[in-house]
Amino acid sequence: CRPPQAGRQLYADLDELRGVLAARSLTDSVELERELAGRLGPAVAGGHRFGDPPHTLRVRLATLPLLGASDELRLAALAAPDPLELPHVAEELAAFEAAFRDLVRTEGP
């Protein structure tokens, strides 16, 4: 069997950011899911939905939205030699990065 090259979800463990997130009143996967879903949409699920203890700071992030909003855009991304060169993929990744960058920002509001 070939090793996996892609997955439908990113499984992020943000526990090392616990102090930064606690300053934003995010202390468990339920709160983390709510916050990230507000920033990224419904493609976010807290680890508590998959059997993780609720106090963990884990989320699963669907990767399909990163490929585009329609089947046509997703197929184009999957067929592209370098999907990062496609404007719609670059825009989705930029929004993803901005959401996380803002989430862990430590300076003032």
Side-chain angles (χ1 to χ4, degrees):
C1 163
R2 293 180 295 165
Q5 298 295 314
R8 296 183 327 177
Q9 297 176 328
L10 291 172
Y11 189 45
D13 184 343
L14 303 179
D15 197 59
E16 70 180 55
L17 300 170
R18 183 169 291 281
V20 173
L21 296 173
R24 293 181 168 270
S25 299
L26 301 172
T27 60
D28 62 26
S29 64
V30 176
E31 294 162 349
L32 186 58
E33 174 190 88
R34 186 178 312 122
E35 181 70 21
L36 283 173
R39 295 168 186 266
L40 297 170
V44 178
H48 63 285
R49 297 189 184 275
F50 301 94
D52 288 345
H55 71 276
T56 63
L57 290 170
R58 296 186 193 126
V59 291
R60 292 187 188 195
L61 306 148
T63 57
L64 192 59
L66 297 175
L67 298 178
S70 69
D71 287 344
E72 182 180 337
L73 291 174
R74 291 178 191 133
L75 289 172
L78 292 171
D82 186 355
L84 297 177
E85 292 181 0
L86 298 174
H88 71 276
V89 173
E91 288 171 17
E92 289 295 328
L93 286 172
F96 184 83
E97 178 184 10
F100 273 89
R101 198 175 291 276
D102 187 50
L103 182 70
V104 299
R105 184 188 61 205
T106 56
E107 66 270 6

